[in-house]
Structures are given as C-alpha cells and as structure tokens.
Amino acid sequence: MSQKKDQASPDSSSQQDGNSEPLPPLSPKDFRTYNRLAEHMDQFHNHFRLTWNQLQDACTSTGKKAKGSGGSLSPRQLIQTGLSFCSQLDFHHSIEEQHIFPVLAKRMPEFRRELVLLSQHKQIHKGLGKLEGYLGKCRSGEVDLQREEVKRLMDAFGEVLWRHLDEEVRTLGAENMRRYWSLAEMGRLPM
C-alpha cells in the first residue's frame, strides 16, 4: 500500500464549523503554525509506514539477500523488527490516547472516544495483538516462523492502519485545525 499526502496548502480556503463563509487564506507563517501537529505526526507515521513496508517485503522474499536489492530480513531480524513495530505503534497510540486526543477532543469531534480515529486504534490493536503473539511464539521457539503467516496477520489490519495513518495527519492539517484553535492556542497544544 502506498501513502498519499492530502494536507491543505497555505492558500486554500475552508469553512468554519458549518459557516458558509470561506476562511481567509493563511500566510505561509500561519500555515506552518497550524500545520505543525500534522507535520510532526507525519514524521512518526512515516517511520511506521517504512517499517511496515520492510516487513511486508521480508514476508514476500525467501530471507536471503538478493544481489543489489539491499536484501531481506533474516528470520531473526524479521521477528525482532516485527516485535519492535508492534511495541512502538502500541506506545505511540498510548501517548495519543492519554495525552493528545483528550486535549484535542475538547473541541474536535474527530478525537472523541466513540468516533473513527479511536475506533481505528481498537481495530489496529486487535491485529497488533495477534501479530505480536505469533512473533513472540516464534522468538521463543514455540513455533517456526512462517513468512506467509506474518503477511496474513499483517494484511488483516493493514488497510485500516494505512487509512488511519493518513486520516489522522489530514485531521491535524492546517485547514482543519484553524476551524477549532487560534494561532496562540496552537503553540500550547501538546506535541
């Protein structure tokens, strides 16, 4: 799966909370201020995308380094990379849910518990739990690593993960953030 950036540009206009009047264009400086959280979040998400793709590539190869390709992951590397991915994504979501989303949810309905972004977290974590459990058994020697099984487990939550990574960044983009927060408030938001 590939990622597509849909962040607003500095000169686009938006509607403020159902108001039919477009918001005035942002200066480049104000755009950067309003877009700060999206850019910061996208850095984290790009790490997860990169690791996901590395794991997917390793699942479709034999584990032997192909000449000139930069190679694949050995079984041990695949297990460790997969477990690290699970742990890091879980930690990332814990920080969001405990420290960032509650602040944003005060004004932004997208970050309230019952809505899409948190619902996606639950779906992702169900898949992460299964992947982590399988890789843990592989690490302990309880089962032999089967790359096809890792791929199957990843594919079960891949679509929702990638959609989530993109939607969360888009929701934190300048044109959406300016609907809810002032420039001064943006500097006080966590992250």
Side-chain angles (χ1 to χ4, degrees):
M1 293 184 179
S2 67
Q3 157 218 281
K4 193 174 182 181
K5 298 213 190 260
D6 286 335
Q7 292 181 0
S9 64
D11 58 354
S12 65
S13 61
S14 169
Q15 310 242 335
Q16 187 166 10
D17 294 327
N19 187 341
S20 61
E21 294 186 34
L23 295 171
L26 289 169
S27 70
K29 180 183 178 194
D30 290 350
F31 178 82
R32 282 190 303 276
T33 300
Y34 276 114
N35 210 50
R36 176 182 64 86
L37 296 180
E39 289 176 7
H40 193 76
M41 188 67 73
D42 210 27
Q43 290 175 355
F44 288 107
H45 288 189
N46 282 336
H47 168 74
F48 295 125
R49 290 179 185 108
L50 180 70
T51 306
W52 178 274
N53 287 335
Q54 183 183 23
L55 289 166
Q56 284 282 316
D57 290 346
C59 289
T60 57
S61 72
T62 62
K64 296 179 181 173
K65 293 189 177 184
K67 193 171 185 173
S69 72
S72 182
L73 298 174
S74 70
R76 193 160 119 190
Q77 290 170 323
L78 191 151
I79 292 166
Q80 188 54 48
T81 301
L83 288 170
S84 292
F85 174 81
C86 293
S87 174
Q88 290 169 6
L89 187 55
D90 183 58
F91 183 65
H92 173 78
H93 282 173
S94 294
I95 290 171
E96 287 178 337
E97 292 171 12
Q98 293 173 22
H99 302 286
I100 298 169
F101 287 6
V103 174
L104 297 175
K106 290 176 184 175
R107 295 193 194 163
M108 301 176 76
E110 300 95 332
F111 293 100
R112 295 195 181 120
R113 286 227 166 262
E114 68 278 2
L115 294 179
V116 175
L117 292 173
L118 281 162
S119 168
Q120 289 172 339
H121 277 196
K122 289 178 185 173
Q123 293 174 50
I124 292 164
H125 285 277
K126 183 178 177 184
L128 276 177
K130 290 177 181 178
L131 178 61
E132 188 172 31
Y134 176 74
L135 292 172
K137 288 178 181 178
C138 293
R139 182 176 58 188
S140 71
E142 190 176 329
V143 298
D144 290 333
L145 176 70
Q146 299 295 319
R147 291 171 189 271
E148 305 80 28
E149 179 63 6
V150 175
K151 182 166 179 16
R152 185 189 71 75
L153 290 167
M154 290 177 70
D155 288 347
F157 68 98
E159 186 178 324
V160 71
L161 172 65
W162 281 75
R163 185 173 58 247
H164 172 76
L165 296 175
D166 293 340
E167 288 176 3
E168 194 171 84
V169 170
R170 195 169 30 256
T171 301
L172 293 171
E175 288 302 322
N176 194 47
M177 294 301 285
R178 72 189 266 194
R179 294 174 62 215
Y180 301 100
W181 309 95
S182 70
L183 280 169
E185 291 170 326
M186 286 300 300
R188 295 189 296 267
L189 291 176
M191 234 174 38

